[in-house]
Amino acid sequence: MEKKNLIVGQSGGPTAVINSSLYGVVSEGIKQEEIGHVYGMINGIEGFLKGTILDFEEALPGEKLEYLTYTPGAYLGSCRYKLPESLEDPVYPELFRKFEEMNIGWFFYIGGNDSMDTVSKLSRYAAMIGSDIRIIGEPKTIDNDLVHTDHTPGFGSAARYVASTVREITLDANVYEKKSVTIVEIMGRHAGWLTAAAALAEGKNGNVPYLVYLEETPFSLDRFIDDVKEKLESTNAVLVAVSEGVHDKEGRFLCEQEGSRELDVFGHTKLSGTGKILEEAVRAKIGCKVRSIELNLLQRCAGHILSKTDIEESGNLGANAVKLAVAGESGLMSSLTRVSDAPYTIEYSGVDIREVANKEKKIPVEWINEAGNGVKEELTTYLTPLVQGEVSSIY
């Protein structure tokens, strides 16, 4: 019997370890006797529809494949292509016709929430037409907001970058006697996991960063100004870590302006400028020296400061996805469960993709302080193992 081929794609925003996830899928796929060729979709589903693919044994032969584990960005390229809600749309039979032409029996998609929605739709369509293609999702997002997995590949390395950068900024800000405020805007649309990682900069040497604002609690500009004034009474330098998606009680983003609400292809509000708005507010209402810093893409492309934990888990999750498919599973997302914090122990498994797609995991409110401007020990305990381990990059 002719062996079925494997195809894998990457989607959504890149991370520093999305290629490690890819390595896990490809290396395990090559090992499996049931699998023929291992192909990659260039620019995800969108590129696959245009016929742009590569054969990994030709593109990255031998030891070159392992270089993926230390390379940030998306090696295969990415896309933000949204499959139609209706499974009756002609794009679905077109996709499966192409799968059949390439003798595809194994489909893997690496991405975040919208990518898991793609996996859900494809697996439901496959079931509807009686296709035997095994379809598995591989989680990826620095936002750490996918449900039914303890955390997501990409988050640990981004959190390590945030914590290290905030610590360095703090040391820089504290060299002068003059009162100053430094505001660091950090990625996060509806969940503040990445911003919370700034709290790891505190260490054992005092309250650093001083103020942390997350999406999970309503944000008040007046209360923010009062918080900063209070801190300035006892210190010369105040550091603020704020999620780009902080919003008021009505859910309106701080950075939204009437008449200028811009949406992306998935209908999400494009967020930017939160730090700058807070900078101007401090300048106008307090009058001290103030600057804002937007970490932006640096959070997800910093390959020089990878978390070894993140690298290893992302590769293992990719390999786990292939093992699930070979065992006969489909319509799942490769996932992990935390067994203990100390020693840090996790287990790999798979969860029904329908229970993951279009859902968001937020920080438990009981892990945020009562004032809404800091985090509790439970959150730093959760975060600490994810940023551990040194990686020597190959240049």
Side-chain angles (χ1 to χ4, degrees), residues 345-378:
T345 312
I346 52 97
E347 293 179 348
Y348 298 92
S349 60
V351 294
D352 189 334
I353 193 66
R354 293 171 298 180
E355 297 300 317
V356 177
N358 303 308
K359 297 178 182 179
E360 289 180 318
K361 177 180 68 180
K362 294 180 177 291
I363 296 175
V365 291
E366 59 268 24
W367 290 4
I368 302 171
N369 70 9
E370 288 72 16
N373 59 15
V375 308
K376 294 183 179 179
E377 185 178 355
E378 292 90 339

Side-chain angles (χ1 to χ4, degrees), residues 64 73 103 224 282 331 349 373:
K64 287 186 177 180
N103 192 32
F224 162 75
V282 170
S349 60
N373 59 15

